[in-house]
Amino acid sequence: MDRSDICGMAVACELAKGVLDFIESFVVSGVSTGELDDLCSDFIKSNGAVSATLGYNGFPKSICTSVNNVVCHGIPGPYRLKSGDIVNIDVTVVVDGWHGDTSRMFVIGGCTKLAEKLVDVAKRALAVGIDAVRPYGYIGDIGAAIQRFVDRYGFSVVRDYCGHGIGRNFHQEPTIVHYDTHEKGSQIIPGMFFTIEPMVNAGGYKTKVLNDGWTVVTVDKSLSAQFEHTIAVNENSVEILTL
């Protein structure tokens, strides 16, 4: 990884974060997830970038909107958010060939104590995972730290989906597992860019994909929450590019 790589990734990641900052004021009761997608799509285009998800393996929209018991890959559409909903908005943009990937939870109006706690634990689980990253450490340390933290609150960490290397490609090595595999896994080498994005469920960790081929939900219909950052591993430090 040279300085130009860092600069390219930093620009893409800053825009991805900027999309979430931009859309925040629109994520209110009554808005449809399709309308949020339109707004994000226009914002991305107006900044000279493209959405990495639009058309990716046939995905039809520019962002993912995962509401309540949707774990990830929710397709924006006619559903209108209402008070008490929680929604994850996941954005990946491409700027000059570099990918920036981040997601954030939004709470609509007043939510239940359970939902509030789940969102808080998911946010802190991401921080715990990032804190476990060490140059020349091991990927397995990330998932072990996340699961130890989440287990303390009686929640569960999704096993079926993971973080990933990123850069000139949307998805590449290494694979970042968010639960304890009881193995060290691959070594973390300076020069890596990857996402950490633990999905935390209020109930069990099992998931299933709906008939649209994309939308992933909890099997037990429990709530799910997720936050995501893209990070860079330097020789002596770890940098959160989407912070």
Side-chain angles (χ1 to χ4, degrees):
M1 173 172 60
D2 59 31
R3 199 64 214 167
S4 65
D5 293 343
I6 283 282
C7 290
M9 280 296 289
V11 170
C13 288
E14 179 65 22
L15 179 57
K17 171 191 174 294
V19 177
L20 293 180
D21 291 342
F22 159 77
I23 203 62
E24 182 171 9
S25 64
F26 299 96
V27 187
V28 295
S29 181
V31 72
S32 75
T33 55
E35 288 166 347
L36 294 176
D37 178 77
D38 289 340
L39 287 165
C40 288
S41 178
D42 289 345
F43 184 84
I44 292 167
K45 291 174 184 175
S46 70
N47 280 273
V50 297
S51 164
T53 58
L54 183 62
Y56 181 78
N57 291 335
F59 190 81
K61 298 291 183 176
S62 295
I63 62 172
C64 297
T65 51
S66 301
V67 183
N68 295 333
N69 70 316
V70 178
V71 177
C72 60
H73 304 160
I75 301 174
Y79 179 80
R80 294 194 175 275
L81 298 174
K82 62 183 184 299
S83 182
D85 283 344
I86 59 174
V87 57
N88 174 274
I89 297 181
D90 193 343
V91 174
T92 308
V93 298
V94 187
V95 182
D96 294 330
W98 295 102
H99 293 68
D101 191 0
T102 187
S103 81
R104 188 184 303 172
M105 294 300 299
F106 298 87
V107 176
I108 313 304
C111 66
T112 65
K113 292 292 186 182
L114 175 63
E116 183 179 341
K117 180 180 177 183
L118 179 68
V119 170
D120 178 64
V121 169
K123 186 174 185 178
R124 289 194 285 154
L126 172 58
V128 166
I130 293 171
D131 285 345
V133 179
R134 298 284 185 275
Y136 303 104
Y138 292 91
I139 296 294
D141 295 338
I142 301 171
I146 290 171
Q147 187 175 348
R148 278 196 305 270
F149 175 78
V150 171
D151 283 354
R152 284 165 38 195
Y153 295 90
F155 297 146
S156 62
V157 183
V158 169
R159 268 71 162 163
D160 297 330
Y161 300 90
C162 55
H164 52 89
I166 192 168
R168 289 288 187 180
N169 298 310
F170 192 173
H171 297 96
Q172 58 191 42
E173 292 299 320
T175 296
I176 310 298
V177 176
H178 301 120
Y179 63 96
D180 191 356
T181 63
H182 306 289
E183 297 178 356
K184 285 186 174 182
S186 304
Q187 191 171 34
I188 299 170
I189 305 299
M192 286 180 169
F193 300 113
F194 55 81
T195 70
I196 302 178
E197 46 185 301
M199 295 152 227
V200 180
N201 295 348
Y205 64 79
K206 292 185 178 179
T207 68
K208 65 179 181 180
V209 182
L210 298 185
N211 291 336
D212 61 23
W214 283 104
T215 306
V216 179
V217 299
T218 54
V219 167
D220 60 10
K221 300 182 180 180
S222 63
L223 294 173
S224 187
Q226 177 195 21
F227 288 82
E228 174 186 13
H229 277 311
T230 297
I231 69 169
V233 181
N234 302 312
E235 188 66 34
N236 298 301
S237 65
V238 175
E239 186 175 355
I240 305 173
L241 298 177
T242 47
L243 188 62

